[in-house]
Amino acid sequence: MKNLETRYLERLSDLYPTIAEASTEIINLQAILNLPKGTEHFITDVHGEYEAFAHVLKNGSGSVRRKIDEVFGNTLSSKEKRSLATLIYYPKEKMEIVKKNEDNMEDWYKVNLYRLIEVSKRAASKYTRSKVRKALPKDFAYVIEELITEKAEVNDKESYYNEIIMTIIRIGRAEGFIAAISSLIQRLVVDHLHIVGDIYDRGPGPHIIMDKLMNYHSLDIQWGNHDVLWMGAAAGQWGCIANAIRICARYGNLDILEDGYGINLLPLASFAIRMYETDPCTCFALKGQDDTISRAEMEMNLRIHKAISVIQFKVEGQIVRRQKDFHMEDRGMLHRIDYEKGTITLDGKEYQMLDMNFPTIDPKDPYALSGEEEEVMERLERAFTGCEKLQEHMQLLLRKGNLYKVHNNNLLYHGCVPLNEDGSLREVTLFGHTFRGRSLYDALDRYVRKGFFSLDEQERENGKDIMWYIWLSPDSPLFGKDKMATFERYFLAEKETHVEKKNPYYKLLEDEEVIDQVMREFGLPPESAYIVNGHVPVKSKNGENPVKCNGRVMVIDGGFSKAYQKETGIAGYTLIYNSYGLRLVAHEPFESTEGAIQRESDIHSESVIIKRVMERRLVGDTDAGKELRERIADLEELLAAYRSGEIKEKR
Ligand SMILES: O=P(O)(O)OC[C@H]1O[C@](O)(COP(=O)(O)O)[C@@H](O)[C@@H]1O
Ligand SMILES: [Mn+2]
């Protein structure tokens, strides 16, 4: 039998059947290595805020504006630049407005088409032709390529381009063309997107964000605890289902389930209304509620909120009892309640319960679901696991996502690396094995996938429970707090019981030695790597800085989440890593899509340069570059095999 290497070269020769073809590919790949590296965009903790998210994607955290500035410098006023940027972000909507106010549309089209072509030329200049070609919108691929490629052979270039532009206008295709070229610009300014977790919960449109991501050209996701919660729910884990519904109810967002995913909440709603009919549910007031909701709807929402919370506390009590390895029995709350006195004893201290109306709890067996609750949960489980759209979204999370990622010398994860007080890696034992640092991340990642794919029922069930564990365990790298005080926040007035203490990691973020250790743990060179992490809102209003440890760690959760903007004072950070270096961008709250179009009010963003490289970074300096060099080496072997007669040319 031929050896593996020869067999591999034979397969490669199917793709490059001649000396000429193999040589051409080597030259092409070599050329790519010398292009500037593509722009990476990092976004985190979007929490369902799809409008702000869509806008930041459209403007590439200021990358579109920077391209416009590079191309036009002082030859356009800032108002004109703003208009052009708005046109690129929202071409259709912007043109509707222009058409109402402009008397000479032909002129307007001409000027703007010209400007857009200049910007797209610039945006395309750092890619190979073949890559640009792949990005071209189908309908206008040929014309756009014509217009953005320099034509050395055409003498009168201006009239050549003008002819094309005038034809587009004459045949009534200007609008379609503008929309197409605008989306090409958006597509080219960001080469790759990293979402550092928490797409779901609190805001109204996580499903809309997921739809956008489904079509995004190049993407990876580091799961956040809220994303894993939804993954667990989609896999049918009851603790996750109850939590996900509870959070939707808490934020007045049950529409996400009903309209966004078509999950029928009627069984839960009718149960809740009946069971808590006369209960004012005062502990279950909604957060960040919207005033458009009717009174009847609000009352139903409160009851659902309470009903699903009670179910959650029961189900969670069952999980911590069956999964002893989770060491979370202290989070079983219901058996600590004195149902006669209306108090609960926690850590030896007795507290008054703010609500004692629990018609479905049997004090002797407080974690048992009532028959109706059981039935509601069974129907919800079927609805979650049977929802095609939710499953598709979860498949995307599984395909593009991981618990962490090492990419171009950066380490990306949502929460933390669990540490002990002294900074050493915290050991966690699960199902008979002990993990820490990277091995903990890897083990949990594997369990998540088992929860979806394992054929072994026990493994699958453990995998599902692990998703709940990742959501809120003190040892979960995605949660990183000593407890999730949901129960205390609903039922106890004493604020000290609401405190969730963060893992020592967050205190040690400024400690160089600790950070070196974390980087080494993930195989990164401490002198040049960066850590990007989200999860904890940075209160920049209070002078808190997202840049830690002399610029080596960036915590970029600035609060896309409207619910948290009061605390943070801004609307989120994003990072841009392009061929010139690394730039942190702080965004002001996003007014609305309508404002962005009507008043051309782009998000105001301040950016700070974290690192400016001495020499422009090239594709050759990236992970993709490493792969390309490997491919070149393989092709050179093939070439040598052709030339030595070891392999015959196929054509
Ligand atoms: O403010 P809310 O929506 O009630 O959420 C508070 C809960 O969310 C958490 O902060 C987890 O969410 P994050 O991952 O967004 O921080 C819990 O620690 C806390 O109990
Ligand atoms: Mn989080």
Side-chain angles (χ1 to χ4, degrees):
M1 202 169 102
K2 292 179 184 165
N3 69 26
L4 199 63
E5 191 180 342
T6 315
R7 273 180 10 233
Y8 174 69
L9 290 181
E10 294 275 9
R11 291 292 74 77
L12 202 57
S13 77
D14 292 339
L15 294 171
Y16 306 98
T18 62
I19 290 182
E21 279 164 273
S23 310
T24 309
E25 183 67 2
I26 292 175
I27 296 164
N28 286 345
L29 296 179
Q30 192 64 48
I32 297 176
L33 286 177
N34 294 314
L35 289 171
K37 93 178 256 307
T39 299
E40 294 171 60
H41 197 184
F42 302 69
I43 304 184
T44 178
D45 294 84
V46 201
H47 283 300
E49 296 298 340
Y50 66 96
E51 286 202 350
F53 172 73
H55 189 84
V56 169
L57 264 201
K58 282 170 188 294
N59 82 4
S61 288
S63 299
V64 170
R65 267 309 295 265
R66 269 193 299 280
K67 281 277 175 284
I68 295 177
D69 284 334
E70 282 167 26
V71 175
F72 296 106
N74 290 327
T75 64
L76 288 188
S77 68
S78 30
K79 187 172 178 321
E80 284 169 314
K81 287 182 191 167
R82 225 178 33 233
S83 281
L84 182 59
T86 309
L87 179 64
I88 295 172
Y89 309 151
Y90 302 100
K92 292 202 180 95
E93 295 84 346
K94 175 75 190 166
M95 279 186 284
E96 281 310 310
I97 298 173
V98 172
K99 276 193 286 185
K100 285 191 200 123
N101 305 322
E102 196 63 51
D103 346 309
N104 188 345
M105 270 318 274
E106 195 176 305
D107 226 28
W108 187 91
Y109 283 138
K110 221 162 47 190
V111 169
N112 282 282
L113 276 168
Y114 167 77
R115 287 178 183 167
L116 291 169
I117 289 163
E118 290 306 306
V119 178
S120 49
K121 260 193 209 166
R122 179 82 186 200
S125 66
K126 65 191 249 193
Y127 300 111
T128 59
R129 280 239 209 131
S130 128
K131 183 154 178 169
V132 173
R133 205 170 281 149
K134 282 186 202 136
L136 291 175
K138 210 165 78 250
D139 282 353
F140 294 97
Y142 178 75
V143 196
I144 296 180
E145 196 174 350
E146 246 347 78
L147 288 169
I148 65 177
T149 319
E150 285 303 332
K151 287 263 170 309
E153 293 296 313
V154 176
N155 286 336
D156 187 352
K157 277 186 221 162
E158 201 174 306
S159 68
Y160 175 76
Y161 292 132
N162 274 344
E163 267 312 307
I164 301 182
I165 290 178
M166 290 314 291
T167 312
I168 295 173
I169 298 173
R170 184 161 44 78
I171 62 174
R173 293 291 275 150
E175 271 183 54
F177 185 81
I178 286 178
I181 201 159
S182 298
S183 79
L184 174 69
I185 294 170
Q186 285 180 31
R187 157 80 180 71
L188 293 176
V189 291
V190 174
D191 189 41
H192 185 82
L193 175 66
H194 307 280
I195 305 270
V196 197
D198 280 0
I199 296 164
Y200 279 88
D201 290 330
R202 303 205 176 101
H207 52 298
I208 305 174
I209 296 172
M210 290 302 292
D211 278 340
K212 273 214 169 324
L213 295 179
M214 298 275 274
N215 298 316
Y216 203 77
H217 54 272
S218 179
L219 157 82
D220 57 57
I221 300 167
Q222 292 71 53
W223 303 324
N225 47 334
H226 289 270
D227 307 321
V228 177
L229 177 70
W230 280 73
M231 291 164 83
Q237 209 282 353
W238 285 18
C240 295
I241 292 178
N243 270 281
I245 299 177
R246 177 184 62 78
I247 297 171
C248 287
R250 178 169 168 76
Y251 282 87
N253 279 333
L254 290 166
D255 290 358
I256 296 171
L257 296 163
E258 293 241 83
D259 304 338
Y261 285 121
I263 287 176
N264 180 10
L265 293 178
L266 201 61
L268 171 64
S270 57
F271 162 73
I273 291 169
R274 203 160 13 84
M275 195 50 67
Y276 299 99
E277 193 183 358
T278 55
D279 186 332
C281 300
T282 32
C283 294
F284 293 87
L286 309 198
K287 231 180 137 168
Q289 69 209 50
D290 118 30
D291 353 302
T292 56
I293 181 169
S294 73
R295 203 186 151 78
E297 203 177 329
M298 166 75 80
E299 294 199 335
M300 181 181 73
N301 205 320
L302 290 180
R303 287 173 176 78
I304 294 180
H305 190 189
K306 177 159 182 182
I308 198 68
S309 301
V310 171
I311 294 179
Q312 177 192 320
F313 298 127
K314 290 186 177 187
V315 169
E316 294 190 329
Q318 296 174 17
I319 303 172
V320 298
R321 289 187 168 181
R322 79 167 171 260
Q323 293 287 12
K324 298 277 185 247
D325 255 18
F326 290 2
H327 301 294
M328 288 180 66
E329 278 174 88
D330 60 327
R331 295 310 298 159
M333 309 304 277
L334 302 180
H335 70 284
R336 299 174 207 276
I337 299 175
D338 183 327
Y339 291 87
E340 305 268 292
K341 275 169 80 183
T343 56
I344 187 166
T345 305
L346 300 175
D347 290 329
K349 200 172 158 198
E350 191 172 79
Y351 299 92
Q352 190 67 46
M353 289 282 293
L354 294 173
D355 182 349
M356 274 308 290
N357 180 33
F358 297 122
T360 71
I361 296 183
D362 170 3
K364 287 195 289 305
D365 189 5
Y367 297 112
L369 294 177
S370 70
E372 277 182 295
E373 285 172 332
E374 186 89 27
E375 198 189 317
V376 165
M377 284 310 287
E378 271 162 14
R379 292 193 58 175
L380 285 168
E381 178 186 337
R382 280 202 297 279
F384 272 77
T385 54
C387 170
E388 211 173 299
K389 182 163 162 190
L390 180 65
Q391 296 300 328
E392 270 173 21
H393 288 171
M394 297 305 116
Q395 290 302 325
L396 181 79
L397 289 179
L398 287 162
R399 266 198 323 275
K400 299 285 179 184
N402 282 92
L403 277 181
Y404 71 95
K405 178 138 188 114
V406 174
H407 189 263
N408 290 345
N409 218 24
N410 298 322
L411 172 58
L412 283 61
Y413 47 72
H414 177 70
C416 67
V417 176
L419 301 176
N420 299 310
E421 288 291 342
D422 66 358
S424 56
L425 298 171
R426 190 172 161 77
E427 289 201 337
V428 178
T429 302
L430 280 169
F431 308 122
H433 299 279
T434 302
F435 310 101
R436 54 185 194 157
R438 187 178 195 162
S439 71
L440 174 63
Y441 263 104
D442 287 335
L444 293 174
D445 192 298
R446 276 196 305 274
Y447 267 109
V448 169
R449 292 176 206 281
K450 282 182 192 170
F452 283 90
F453 303 120
S454 179
L455 291 177
D456 178 310
E457 170 143 16
Q458 190 54 54
E459 286 279 67
R460 204 167 57 242
E461 289 307 312
N462 285 345
K464 288 199 232 166
D465 286 351
I466 283 285
M467 289 187 242
W468 175 84
Y469 173 93
I470 292 175
W471 158 237
L472 50 45
S473 156
D475 287 335
S476 158
L478 268 58
F479 181 53
K481 300 181 196 165
D482 67 341
K483 66 173 179 196
M484 191 175 283
T486 313
F487 180 93
E488 290 89 327
R489 286 189 296 127
Y490 282 127
F491 294 120
L492 306 181
E494 290 78 0
K495 288 266 189 262
E496 75 267 15
T497 63
H498 302 184
V499 176
E500 301 178 347
K501 199 164 149 254
K502 293 196 191 92
N503 181 276
Y505 169 88
Y506 294 100
K507 246 187 3 229
L508 295 166
L509 274 179
E510 295 290 356
D511 187 322
E512 301 263 353
E513 261 176 53
V514 170
I515 297 305
D516 283 1
Q517 167 197 241
V518 170
M519 287 177 172
R520 268 191 237 104
E521 172 71 13
F522 286 84
L524 283 162
E527 33 339 313
S528 59
Y530 291 92
I531 295 177
V532 181
N533 136 193
H535 187 50
V536 284
V538 177
K539 297 177 184 143
S540 64
K541 211 172 68 181
N542 306 348
E544 211 182 304
N545 194 339
V547 183
K548 315 274 181 199
C549 204
N550 292 324
R552 303 169 63 204
V553 183
M554 273 147 296
V555 182
I556 60 169
D557 176 7
F560 264 91
S561 177
K562 287 218 179 83
Y564 282 29
Q565 279 170 13
K566 260 199 233 95
E567 284 177 50
T568 59
I570 56 159
Y573 294 100
T574 51
L575 268 182
I576 288 287
Y577 182 22
N578 61 23
S579 56
Y580 296 106
L582 199 58
R583 180 194 287 267
L584 178 77
V585 188
H587 305 281
E588 302 249 302
F590 179 63
E591 186 196 347
S592 64
T593 306
E594 198 194 341
I597 300 162
Q598 295 277 357
R599 288 181 286 289
E600 303 187 328
S601 59
D602 203 344
I603 291 186
H604 179 70
S605 313
E606 292 290 337
S607 68
V608 195
I609 293 176
I610 303 289
K611 176 183 173 128
R612 198 196 298 277
V613 290
M614 290 304 181
E615 270 175 51
R616 214 168 163 192
R617 282 274 155 83
L618 305 180
V619 173
D621 305 321
T622 66
D623 290 352
K626 210 184 295 163
E627 274 174 35
L628 291 179
R629 272 196 298 274
E630 280 166 17
R631 259 166 63 197
I632 292 174
D634 291 351
L635 284 160
E636 285 180 355
E637 295 259 333
L638 175 66
L639 214 51
Y642 280 142
R643 293 198 189 280
S644 70
E646 198 182 329
I647 290 183
K648 281 204 308 264
E649 284 187 296
K650 295 235 160 89
R651 241 189 279 133

